[in-house]
Amino acid sequence: MAQRITILPEIITNKIAAGEVVERPASVIKELIENSLDAGAKDISVEISAGGRRLIKITDNGHGMSREDALLSLERHATSKIRTDSDLEEISTLGFRGEALPSIASVSRFRLASRETGSTEGTEITVEGGRVRDVKACGMAPGTVIYVEQLFFNTPARLKFMRSAETETGHVADTVARMAVSRPDVAFTCISDGKELLRVQRGDLMRRMVQALGKDASSNLHQVEFTGDNIKISGFLSAPMTVRSSSSSIFTYINGRFVRDKVIQHAIMQAYRGVIDRGRYPVVALFIELSSGEVDVNVHPTKHEVRFRRQTIVHDSIQSALENVLRNSPWLSHRPLQIKPEPATVSKAYLERIASAAQASLSLPVNRSEHYSYRNDLLPAQTRVSEPVAPFMPEPATSKQQAYFSSLAVIGQFHSEYILCQSGNELIVIDQHAACERVAYQRLKKQFEADGVESQRLLFPETVELSFTDAATAIRFNKELSQIGLELEPFGGNTVIISSIPRMAIEKDTTALLRDVLTDLAQVGASNAFRDIQDTLLSRIACHSVVRGPHRLEQRQISELLRSMDETDFAASCPHGRPVSHTIHLSELEKIFKRT
Ligand code: ADP
Ligand code: MG
């Protein structure tokens, strides 16, 4: 029988590895910056053109490579960072797999120039699609420069997945900002098509935070400090008024490495439980230091995932570290938090230890003089003070036609959240928030289909500092945003000015609305279009136009709502798919009370 199996040539295995490590320009940049940091660079500059699709150039002043090392660095599994099996248990560098350079070189036109400290000249190696084309001596400053041109030129499938230059630029800048946050001792620059996106000097942590987290969050940060058994946690968290609709503003680092980890994320969300609404995420930057034996980073090629030796301790330490700050923070002083530890995972002794450690290290907010004013409707239901808020009320219905909802006899309001009605033998419970949202959504949809969502110019245009990705999305979808009532003007850098907003969302949190809409829009890729998500966007606006949480309604307002519901094309659910009303038949009650 003929032999069926062959060992693949290296040029193909490199391409396969590239499939895992190199997803887009930003992932190339992450790998190259990791290499520069591992080489002890104190100055790293990133330049891209066309979002990194045409060119990525990274220059560092690290220890550089000799000619031999430079040639070796392009071989698969060639690394200076580990040597033995046991080194794998104690990884203290960002890299160790020896895969990034050969992978990147296999899917681009690649050039590496490096000069070792103490050497008089550098070496330049040119590689094309994984094949070395040229090796020569070159004059250069000590350090390393890497050029990656025409990424994915020889992998058309990957090329198709790349987004617009603006979107890729956004990802690149976010990546650089994220890495800059983890290493305040290193200066970073990021330039896109000649335009400076980011420049941070050594030591300037705050500016990095602004770049990575956004200005609104960074002006209201509180410091986290915690020391436990084999674990040290430091960082910052935002006040609960600053929330996001995705977890993209949760930055977590383990031993300087940016990670996305479920255990950490869960611990953070546990700490914020009851403080922010469901589906909302805080802005958090956490630096977790563990001895290297406590954490395994050899889980995934991108090294974004990790495994902990003692997961519970890590989880509970993070949760407690955050809870201590949240509990002692001024915005909640009038209403203490009721945070209960998960009984199964935290022992009393452990909690006491954490409490005393946190007591000793608890720091004051970064901005001590900050005055904690907040708008009532920005707060989650649990923390909102109970003064009444004018709810979004549908305009009085014009139709005289008597229909189902307006024919109901109103019994009253339950818990300031539900409307109870009667019709014959039926008790009808209406979720007032869901109903308002549905009515608002239908109205927006009508407006959108007619002439675009009705918008209102803001008397005082609002300036918003966005993340790089969000700013790129805002520019890309400027026209579409105005169709849904959001008029934006670029204001240099990542700042935009909101000049008009949907009329229905007036007096609501405009910035939060914009951020949510941009998060939704960022999902629009090459494979789908704006119209695929326009309903999602309209429901977003609807959601922002109505008051959340309990509020009392007057009889008149209830009648108006019921009338508007009759005018609404009700699919018996709110735009999020939750039910709007629920009917309980008399016979069901009789069954409950055993009358039958
Ligand atoms: P890894 O980082 O996992 O070791 P890479 O393929 O990323 O694998 O890099 C291979 C080797 O090339 C590294 O171990 C390092 O010795 C060397 N190297 C890569 N980039 C640089 C750089 N910017 N400065 C100095 N040495 C570098
Ligand atoms: Mg590396």
Side-chain angles (χ1 to χ4, degrees):
M1 282 278 255
Q3 183 184 325
R4 288 173 193 264
I5 301 178
T6 62
I7 292 180
L8 293 172
E10 197 168 292
I11 204 142
I12 298 182
T13 57
N14 283 339
K15 259 185 154 178
I16 292 172
E20 291 177 319
V21 184
V22 190
E23 192 197 342
R24 56 177 2 146
S27 38
V28 170
I29 283 162
K30 172 202 163 265
E31 290 295 333
L32 297 181
I33 293 181
E34 284 188 352
N35 281 345
S36 298
L37 291 171
D38 282 342
K42 288 291 170 208
D43 223 312
I44 299 174
S45 124
V46 177
E47 283 172 66
I48 57 169
S49 145
R53 300 168 58 155
R54 193 175 305 137
L55 168 75
I56 296 168
K57 177 183 173 197
I58 304 224
T59 311
D60 73 46
N61 64 350
H63 58 54
M65 286 178 267
S66 66
R67 172 175 287 233
E68 295 70 32
D69 275 352
L71 282 164
L72 265 178
S73 75
L74 297 167
E75 300 284 332
R76 185 94 187 275
H77 308 307
T79 180
S80 56
K81 298 171 193 176
I82 56 171
R83 280 185 197 276
T84 65
D85 198 17
S86 59
D87 289 345
L88 210 46
E89 307 291 312
E90 304 253 321
I91 291 163
S92 57
T93 46
L94 295 168
F96 60 88
R97 301 173 62 97
E99 267 184 345
L101 293 189
S103 299
I104 297 165
S106 74
V107 291
S108 66
R109 300 187 203 279
F110 180 96
R111 188 148 51 98
L112 175 158
S114 193
R115 175 175 153 196
E116 203 173 15
T117 325
S119 161
T120 49
E121 59 172 22
T123 309
E124 186 180 286
I125 305 171
T126 310
V127 189
E128 216 181 273
R131 290 196 169 79
V132 175
R133 297 281 184 221
D134 190 25
V135 182
K136 61 181 186 208
C138 69
M140 64 183 289
T144 302
V145 188
I146 288 177
Y147 301 81
V148 179
E149 281 172 88
Q150 291 175 291
L151 183 63
F152 300 136
F153 82 98
N154 57 350
T155 51
R158 269 297 153 103
L159 198 58
K160 263 203 229 131
F161 274 101
M162 279 212 278
R163 303 272 174 94
S164 68
E166 290 93 4
T167 306
E168 295 301 342
T169 305
H171 284 291
V172 168
D174 280 339
T175 300
V176 180
R178 220 158 44 205
M179 297 184 87
V181 164
S182 72
R183 290 294 299 269
D185 58 321
V186 177
F188 285 86
T189 324
C190 181
I191 293 168
S192 160
D193 290 317
K195 209 174 95 199
E196 189 176 289
L197 298 180
L198 177 140
R199 178 180 295 275
V200 284
Q201 307 297 330
R202 273 171 233 165
D204 187 357
L205 177 63
M206 222 43 230
R207 198 177 151 78
R208 293 161 201 241
M209 299 295 259
V210 172
Q211 300 273 4
L213 307 180
K215 210 182 228 156
D216 61 331
S218 330
S219 61
N220 205 352
L221 289 176
H222 297 261
Q223 207 168 343
V224 182
E225 288 292 346
F226 177 91
T227 312
D229 253 358
N230 279 318
I231 181 167
K232 240 181 110 177
I233 301 167
S234 61
F236 301 90
L237 59 82
S238 66
M241 295 78 107
T242 314
V243 288
R244 306 278 196 249
S245 56
S246 79
S247 62
S248 62
S249 283
I250 297 182
F251 290 72
T252 51
Y253 302 85
I254 296 179
N255 298 342
R257 182 194 306 282
F258 178 82
V259 293
R260 277 195 199 93
D261 181 79
K262 286 199 195 76
V263 174
I264 301 178
Q265 171 114 354
H266 186 263
I268 294 172
M269 296 314 287
Q270 283 293 111
Y272 272 90
R273 195 173 35 148
V275 181
I276 56 178
D277 266 342
R278 250 164 188 264
R280 302 271 130 184
Y281 298 83
V283 178
V284 174
L286 275 192
F287 308 100
I288 300 155
E289 299 292 330
L290 285 166
S291 53
S292 43
E294 290 285 326
V295 53
D296 185 2
V297 289
N298 188 16
V299 178
H300 190 268
T302 60
K303 300 160 286 173
H304 273 148
E305 286 170 36
V306 291
R307 238 169 246 141
F308 299 111
R309 197 160 74 84
R310 294 180 295 175
Q311 177 170 318
T312 313
I313 295 207
V314 175
H315 180 279
D316 297 347
S317 302
I318 295 171
Q319 186 178 340
S320 300
L322 298 189
E323 281 177 0
N324 273 306
V325 182
L326 287 170
R327 233 190 237 133
N328 289 295
S329 295
W331 61 82
L332 294 169
S333 54
H334 63 286
R335 184 153 184 184
L337 270 180
Q338 308 253 305
I339 298 170
K340 281 198 228 103
E342 299 258 275
T345 52
V346 189
S347 74
K348 189 161 172 281
Y350 183 66
L351 264 184
E352 280 165 5
R353 211 167 58 235
I354 283 173
S356 60
Q359 208 71 48
S361 62
L362 190 73
S363 314
L364 283 165
V366 177
N367 188 349
R368 281 167 194 242
S369 61
E370 186 78 40
H371 173 63
Y372 291 93
S373 66
Y374 52 80
R375 282 171 49 192
N376 217 18
D377 55 338
L378 298 190
L379 288 180
Q382 291 86 338
T383 53
R384 209 176 286 146
V385 286
S386 56
E387 85 196 38
V389 186
F392 158 78
M393 281 313 299
E395 293 149 20
T398 43
S399 154
K400 292 275 172 292
Q401 153 206 4
Q402 272 277 320
Y404 177 69
F405 287 107
S406 25
S407 72
L408 301 175
V410 178
I411 301 171
Q413 209 187 0
F414 173 66
H415 215 254
S416 298
E417 284 179 288
Y418 298 95
I419 299 167
L420 305 184
C421 304
Q422 181 183 338
S423 169
N425 283 343
E426 289 175 339
L427 171 68
I428 296 108
V429 185
I430 297 169
D431 178 339
Q432 68 193 41
H433 172 79
C436 283
E437 204 169 300
R438 184 74 202 182
V439 169
Y441 171 75
Q442 286 290 333
R443 205 161 278 166
L444 283 165
K445 204 163 157 64
K446 232 191 244 163
Q447 291 175 4
F448 180 79
E449 279 157 10
D451 210 11
V453 169
E454 276 176 33
S455 69
Q456 177 153 343
R457 281 201 91 72
L458 290 176
L459 204 52
F460 302 104
E462 215 161 299
T463 309
V464 190
E465 177 89 12
L466 298 169
S467 72
F468 289 102
T469 311
D470 280 352
T473 310
I475 292 170
R476 185 166 157 224
F477 289 103
N478 199 275
K479 201 174 99 240
E480 288 84 354
L481 284 166
S482 72
Q483 285 166 9
I484 57 166
L486 271 164
E487 305 259 1
L488 304 179
E489 288 156 30
F491 190 66
N494 291 347
T495 309
V496 293
I497 296 178
I498 309 178
S499 53
S500 298
I501 63 162
R503 187 186 294 277
M504 238 180 246
I506 209 90
E507 290 190 354
K508 295 293 184 296
D509 184 2
T510 314
T511 311
L513 168 63
L514 175 65
R515 281 187 205 284
D516 281 358
V517 164
L518 291 176
T519 308
D520 291 335
L521 268 176
Q523 313 300 321
V524 178
S527 55
N528 59 354
F530 177 72
R531 65 175 178 288
D532 295 337
I533 68 151
Q534 70 200 24
D535 286 349
T536 312
L537 297 177
L538 295 176
S539 78
R540 266 279 177 229
I541 300 172
C543 180
H544 277 269
S545 334
V546 301
V547 175
R548 282 172 233 186
H551 60 265
R552 288 256 297 282
L553 293 178
E554 290 169 20
Q555 182 66 40
R556 179 185 53 84
Q557 293 174 307
I558 295 178
S559 310
E560 270 169 26
L561 175 59
L562 295 178
R563 255 203 310 278
S564 306
M565 285 169 75
D566 280 331
E567 303 226 310
T568 304
D569 173 19
F570 256 92
S573 64
C574 82
H576 298 308
R578 291 193 302 268
V580 168
S581 74
H582 180 76
T583 305
I584 303 168
H585 197 271
L586 181 63
S587 59
E588 290 175 65
L589 286 178
E590 287 177 336
K591 224 184 259 163
I592 294 172
F593 292 105
K594 310 223 180 297
R595 285 195 181 202
T596 49

